[in-house]
């Protein structure tokens, strides 16, 4: 696999690495290359490599690229999944019986389920809310302390009532998967220890979109000292703040695990020099982003358009 000097330096660096990448810098290529590198280090052992993403599309992309590059026979040595899929299959499903409210099993409650719809509409009527509040229920999630993150459009009491209803019925929504998994690894050390023993490497894509609950799981695994982390992200590209993501956690986690933060992917393969220069003016990065792709020398200069028109001063009088 062909890599740039920046990508190769990050992929081959030993120990924990926190790699900050600019847009269009080939971070997926770097993740796949690192995954291949890690698979070779665990081949013919009982350990595995996990690559965690934030969307199913991203997981499919990494897995597809890996299969196109591999020679075959690598499947026993790696997992590629969203954080929710990783937490569900490795923590919640096998150990839910350790949680009182999920002791006898649980049901994944999708937003299109009848029970979900009926309860949400009932609470909307009870709290005299507008119909648009229905869509906000998908944003309700509990943080590591057990309290719901504040969704501005929904009263705090409603969110608490919703979470209590979930527990009473052993329902688990998508967001609650991470919450319950975090409870398990933080209160049952043997669970986190088992994960640390199983996974020699944890690769995390789009780390800037991680939530406090997700970071808790990673920290619990890290504390046993058996897993090496490779985290890739860009604090300027966070798109999941509405779902509890906190871009600041990228550097905070890097400091927590004493990761190497010297590596950067600064070459943008998608944009021209003019576009990169304008982007740097709006949101400067250090070191600055550079255009390195086939369109780097495109002469077209971006133009800013605005619907704002200044009102002549004479109209004020």
């Amino acid at each position: 696999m062909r890599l740039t000097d920046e990508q190769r330096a990050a992929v081959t660096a030993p120990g924990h690495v926190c790699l900050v990448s600019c847009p269009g810098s080939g971070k997926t290529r770097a993740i796949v290359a690192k995954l291949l590198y890690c698979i070779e280090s665990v081949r013919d052992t009982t350990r595995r490599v996990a690559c965690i993403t934030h969307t199913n599309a991203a997981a499919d992309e990494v897995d597809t690229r890996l299969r196109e590059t591999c020679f075959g026979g690598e499947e026993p040595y790696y997992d590629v999944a969203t954080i929710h899929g990783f937490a569900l299959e490795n923590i919640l499903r096998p150990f839910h019986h350790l949680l009182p409210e999920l002791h006898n099993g649980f049901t994944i409650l999708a937003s299109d389920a009848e029970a979900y719809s009926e309860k949400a509409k009932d609470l909307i009527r009870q709290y005299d809310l507008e119909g648009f509040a229905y869509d906000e229920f998908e944003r309700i999630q509990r943080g590591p302390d057990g309290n719901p993150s504040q969704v501005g459009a929904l009263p705090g009491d409603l969110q608490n009532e919703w979470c209590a209803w979930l527990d009473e019925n052993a329902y688990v929504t998508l967001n609650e998967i991470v919450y319950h998994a975090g409870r398990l690894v933080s209160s049952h050390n043997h669970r986190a220890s088992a994960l640390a023993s199983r996974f020699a490497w944890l690769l995390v894509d789009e780390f800037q979109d991680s939530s406090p609950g997700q970071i808790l799981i990673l920290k619990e695994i890290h504390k046993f000292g058996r897993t090496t982390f490779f985290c890739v992200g860009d604090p300027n590209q966070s798109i999941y703040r509405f779902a509890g993501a906190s871009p600041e956690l990228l550097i905070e986690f890097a400091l927590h695990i004493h990761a190497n933060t010297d590596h950067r992917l600064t070459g943008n393969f998608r944009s021209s020099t003019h576009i990169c220069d304008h982007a740097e003016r709006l949101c400067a990065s250090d070191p600055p982003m550079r255009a390195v792709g086939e369109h780097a020398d495109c002469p077209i200069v971006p133009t800013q358009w605005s619907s704002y028109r200044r009102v002549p001063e004479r109209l004020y009088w």
Side-chain angles (χ1 to χ4, degrees), residues 189-204:
N189 283 337
H190 68 282
R191 181 59 264 171
S193 177
L195 288 171
S197 296
R198 184 181 189 193
F199 294 104
W201 290 85
L202 267 175
L203 283 52
V204 186

Side-chain angles (χ1 to χ4, degrees), residues 80 129-130 139 165 178 224 237:
V80 180
L129 302 176
E130 299 293 336
R139 295 176 55 196
W165 173 76
V178 170
F224 291 94
Q237 294 189 68

Side-chain angles (χ1 to χ4, degrees), residues 214-288:
Q214 295 163 19
I215 299 299
L216 171 64
I217 294 173
L218 300 180
K219 285 183 176 180
E220 290 296 325
I221 295 173
H222 166 263
K223 74 180 183 182
F224 291 94
R226 306 186 200 120
T227 304
T228 306
F229 290 81
F230 184 80
C231 306
V232 182
D234 180 0
N236 294 328
Q237 294 189 68
S238 179
I239 60 174
Y240 284 101
R241 282 185 181 272
F242 70 91
S246 179
E248 298 79 13
L249 294 175
L250 173 63
I251 300 303
E252 189 273 335
F253 182 72
L255 293 173
H256 179 80
I257 66 174
H258 304 290
N260 183 337
T261 58
D262 294 334
H263 296 284
R264 294 286 191 277
L265 298 186
T266 62
N268 186 319
F269 287 88
R270 298 176 186 164
S271 306
S272 69
T273 296
H274 289 304
I275 290 178
C276 288
D277 289 345
H278 276 68
E280 284 295 317
R281 293 174 194 168
L282 294 171
C283 191
S285 52
D286 183 22

Side-chain angles (χ1 to χ4, degrees), residues 111-175:
S111 59
D112 58 356
E114 184 178 355
Y116 181 109
S117 178
E118 289 181 356
K119 184 61 178 180
K121 291 177 180 178
D122 178 61
L123 288 172
I124 288 173
R125 288 191 295 269
Q126 180 181 332
Y127 285 85
D128 194 25
L129 302 176
E130 299 293 336
F132 70 84
Y134 183 90
D135 293 332
E136 298 297 302
F137 279 77
E138 286 189 284
R139 295 176 55 196
I140 299 177
Q141 61 180 319
R142 281 176 277 191
D145 61 0
N147 294 316
S149 302
Q150 291 305 306
V151 178
L154 300 176
D157 289 344
L158 178 150
Q159 296 177 61
N160 289 326
E161 190 171 342
W162 172 260
C163 292
W165 173 76
L166 293 175
D167 291 344
E168 290 169 3
N169 293 276
Y171 288 142
V172 177
T173 62
L174 180 66
N175 286 332

